[in-house]
């Protein structure tokens, strides 16, 4: 698999037309499913990963798409037409709340920008829908808590789009980590070096493209003039809507660092970095960042660098569990063990053997049918833990302080850091305050 997220989205968007892909699904789901037994699925936000998630889900004969929603009429028309070419007729919405009123919809995919995830997921659960929500699950620590509470209150299946949780070689690697063969693990490194990402040139404010409901796109974010740089894919690099590479790739990779170490919340977090590669471009979030999470007996370190590919161990992304006996290095292509001299045997590279996204959406569909939420590979609790951890790193960076976490109180010991626990809501929207 190409390690570039851009390539991944482009490839995933064509998977609905792929041949022979159903054979990778569990045998219980290969057989034809009567229309009356199929799950009616809708998607909200269908320009990038939302479309990739939906097309993956539709490989499964147990799912059928009945509705799409996007605030960009151009994207909406394009996707409706693509489905029509496959013989799939759907309803089209520009207001997700209208879509959620349709009682025939069983589940929704949420692929909107991060600042919309919390409102749409909690509204979907309240409307009785099961939810597949893209990562990062929440755009703030408080949002993550509200989303967990919503799942518990409304008793819905919620899968977070951390699809590596469903990929076999990731599971095998973590099983090796948990075996103890690496010896005491004192440091875990997770990193993303994105050489394909170039500078974002500064552009003047302008008017939204025809067909775009910009007010709806902004939703709870700060009102400001439309700027092309903040729209669609590049929203990731602005604090109003997301958390930069930390909450984009970081959520995927820190997830496995936490899982390997069976970690809860860190004791302290410190971060240093900035816009070192492209100091004068239009992005707000750092292109270079090092974050250290302190736990009892070990540290987890996050590294990111935009514009270069030369990451640790010759990989542009990955996780390394560094033990006294050896180091296990894991990425989307496979895993291997590099021994300390004379302390253990090397393990040659174990390559990826499956499609993580397809396995992840299949797991979601199976749980919708079984209602056994414990079988979800990335439930809300998993999504909340890693999104919270990533947000902690961004908060340490933005305050410029080493911050300490009080797990008992669920907040930092620093007043400035606590100001960033919740994302600011504007334009009449309110942060959901849901009790399970």
């Amino acid at each position: 698999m190409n390690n570039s997220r851009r390539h991944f989205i482009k490839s995933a968007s064509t998977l609905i037309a792929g041949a022979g892909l159903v054979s990778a699904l569990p045998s219980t789901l290969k057989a034809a499913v009567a229309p009356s037994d199929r799950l009616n699925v809708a998607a909200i936000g269908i320009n990038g990963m939302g479309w990739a998630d939906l097309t993956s889900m539709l490989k499964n004969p147990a799912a059928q798409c009945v509705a799409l929603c996007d605030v960009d009429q151009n994207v909406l028309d394009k996707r409706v037409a693509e489905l029509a070419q496959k013989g799939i007729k759907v309803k089209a919405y520009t207001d997700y709340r209208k879509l959620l009123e349709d009682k025939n919809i069983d589940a929704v995919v949420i692929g909107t920008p991060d600042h919309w995830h919390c409102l749409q997921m909690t509204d979907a659960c309240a409307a009785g829908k099961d939810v597949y929500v893209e990562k990062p699950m929440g755009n703030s620590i408080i949002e993550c808590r509200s989303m967990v509470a919503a799942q518990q209150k409304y008793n819905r299946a919620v899968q977070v789009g951390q699809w590596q949780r469903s990929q076999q070689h990731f599971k095998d690697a973590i099983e090796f980590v948990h075996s103890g063969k690496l010896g005491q693990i004192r440091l875990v490194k997770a990193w993303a070096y994105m050489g394909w990402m170039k500078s974002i040139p500064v552009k003047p404010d302008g008017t939204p493209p025809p067909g775009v409901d910009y007010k709806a796109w902004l939703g709870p974010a700060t009102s400001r003039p439309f700027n092309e740089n903040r729209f669609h894919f590049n929203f990731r690099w602005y604090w109003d809507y997301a958390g930069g590479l930390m909450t984009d790739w970081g959520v995927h990779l820190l997830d496995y660092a936490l899982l390997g170490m069976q970690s809860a919340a860190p004791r302290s977090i410190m971060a240093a970095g900035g816009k070192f590669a492209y100091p004068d471009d239009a992005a707000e979030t750092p292109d270079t960042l090092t974050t250290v999470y302190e736990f009892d007996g070990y540290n987890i370190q996050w590294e990111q660098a935009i514009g270069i590919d030369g990451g640790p161990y010759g990989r542009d992304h990955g996780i390394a569990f560094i033990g006294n006996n050896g180091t296990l290095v894991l990425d989307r292509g496979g895993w291997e063990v590099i021994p300390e001299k004379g302390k253990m045997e090397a393990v040659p590279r174990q390559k990826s053997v499956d499609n993580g996204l397809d396995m992840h959406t299949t797991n979601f569909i199976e749980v919708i049918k079984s209602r056994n939420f414990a079988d979800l590979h990335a439930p809300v609790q998993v999504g909340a833990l890693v999104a919270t951890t990533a947000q902690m790193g961004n908060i340490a960076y933005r305050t410029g302080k080493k911050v300490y976490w009080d797990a008992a109180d669920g907040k930092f010991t620093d007043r400035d850091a606590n100001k960033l626990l919740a994302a600011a809501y504007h334009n009449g929207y309110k942060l959901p305050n849901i009790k399970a």
Side-chain angles (χ1 to χ4, degrees), residues 32-305:
V33 178
S36 59
D37 292 331
R38 291 177 187 161
L39 296 170
N40 291 331
V41 179
I44 304 166
I46 49 175
N47 190 53
M49 279 306 301
W51 185 246
D53 298 333
L54 178 65
T55 55
S56 173
M57 207 168 291
L58 292 183
K59 295 178 193 177
N60 196 308
Q64 61 185 0
C65 182
V66 297
L68 299 177
C69 179
D70 204 284
V71 297
D72 187 336
Q73 190 70 48
N74 308 290
V75 172
L76 187 59
D77 291 345
K78 176 184 175 183
R79 299 310 191 193
V80 169
E82 288 178 21
L83 290 181
Q85 290 176 355
K86 307 297 178 184
I88 302 171
K89 185 178 181 180
V90 298
K91 295 180 180 179
Y93 297 87
T94 56
D95 185 336
Y96 81 93
R97 294 167 296 186
K98 295 295 183 183
L99 180 149
L100 293 179
E101 291 174 1
D102 188 343
K103 298 188 182 303
N104 291 320
I105 294 173
D106 301 306
V108 296
V109 173
I110 297 174
T112 49
D114 303 359
H115 71 289
W116 263 115
H117 288 182
C118 181
L119 285 170
Q120 290 172 342
M121 179 242 161
T122 55
D123 285 348
C125 287
K129 318 300 184 190
D130 296 313
V131 181
Y132 185 106
V133 60
E134 257 307 317
K135 41 59 57 186
M137 189 179 86
N139 197 36
S140 73
I141 292 173
I142 299 299
E143 283 185 351
C144 289
R145 292 178 188 168
S146 292
M147 296 168 85
V148 171
Q151 184 276 325
Q152 294 174 340
K153 178 177 180 178
Y154 299 112
N155 198 33
R156 307 315 302 169
V158 178
Q159 179 92 300
V160 183
Q162 292 159 220
W163 53 265
Q164 291 170 175
R165 284 269 179 160
S166 293
Q167 202 157 20
Q168 189 59 48
H169 79 275
F170 276 93
K171 297 178 183 179
D172 294 341
I174 295 304
E175 183 178 348
F176 192 98
V177 171
H178 290 170
S179 74
K181 294 178 182 178
L182 296 174
Q184 179 189 358
I185 298 173
R186 295 176 290 177
L187 175 64
V188 183
K189 291 186 177 182
W191 66 93
Y193 281 55
M194 301 285 103
W196 61 271
M197 290 178 57
K198 307 305 179 185
S199 175
I200 302 172
V202 175
K203 294 183 179 180
D205 293 337
T207 57
V212 172
D213 186 341
Y214 179 57
K215 183 177 179 180
W217 188 90
L218 281 174
T222 302
S223 293
R224 62 177 73 246
F226 177 85
N227 191 288
E228 182 183 352
N229 281 331
R230 291 172 168 263
F231 195 49
H232 286 327
F233 182 84
N234 284 332
F235 73 83
R236 291 166 171 80
W237 322 128
Y238 295 89
W239 298 119
D240 282 355
Y241 324 115
L245 204 58
M246 170 67 88
T247 55
D248 191 41
W249 274 79
V251 165
H252 277 306
L253 300 169
L254 286 169
D255 182 25
Y256 261 81
L258 295 168
L259 179 62
M261 300 306 292
Q262 299 173 300
S263 302
R267 294 193 309 186
S268 71
I269 311 97
M270 55 184 175
K275 294 183 59 176
F276 300 158
Y278 309 126
D280 299 319
D281 82 348
E284 290 180 347
T285 58
D287 54 45
T288 308
L289 184 67
T290 301
T291 306
V292 178
Y293 299 91
E294 180 190 15
F295 297 86
D296 289 331
Y298 64 94
N299 289 341
I300 292 177
Q301 177 177 303
W302 166 252
E303 293 180 20
Q304 67 181 56

